[in-house]
């Protein structure tokens, strides 16, 4: 049962991160298309957002290891 819980935790974390990254990048492309002069600012904000979203799968892996360790 612990293996299933760990697999679900990692899978949902990866799914959430994929959806989040897709939304962030698509909105950044829309913003650059509307105001090309703000490309560098929007790109910086996008990278910060992507880094924060990528923390989710890392937390999911940590939770999976905790579940497997008990």
């Amino acid at each position: 049962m612990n293996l299933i819980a760990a697999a679900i935790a990692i899978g949902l974390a990866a799914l959430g991160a994929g959806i989040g990254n897709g939304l962030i990048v698509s909105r950044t492309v829309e913003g650059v298309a509307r105001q090309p002069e703000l490309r560098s600012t929007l790109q910086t904000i996008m990278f910060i957002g992507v880094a924060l979203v990528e923390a989710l799968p890392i937390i999911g892996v940590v939770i999976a290891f905790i579940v497997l360790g008990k």
Side-chain angles (χ1 to χ4, degrees):
M1 198 64 166
N2 287 342
L3 291 174
I4 295 172
I8 289 173
I10 293 173
L12 289 177
L15 179 67
I19 292 170
N21 284 337
L23 290 173
I24 290 171
V25 173
S26 71
R27 300 302 163 108
T28 302
V29 170
E30 287 178 13
V32 170
R34 289 183 185 166
Q35 295 183 344
E37 66 274 4
L38 293 178
R39 179 178 183 257
S40 63
T41 304
L42 291 173
Q43 194 173 24
T44 302
I45 294 170
M46 179 194 72
F47 285 136
I48 293 170
V50 167
L52 291 173
V53 169
E54 285 298 321
L56 179 67
I58 295 169
I59 293 169
V61 169
V62 169
I63 290 172
F65 283 138
I66 290 171
V67 168
L68 291 175
K70 289 187 177 183

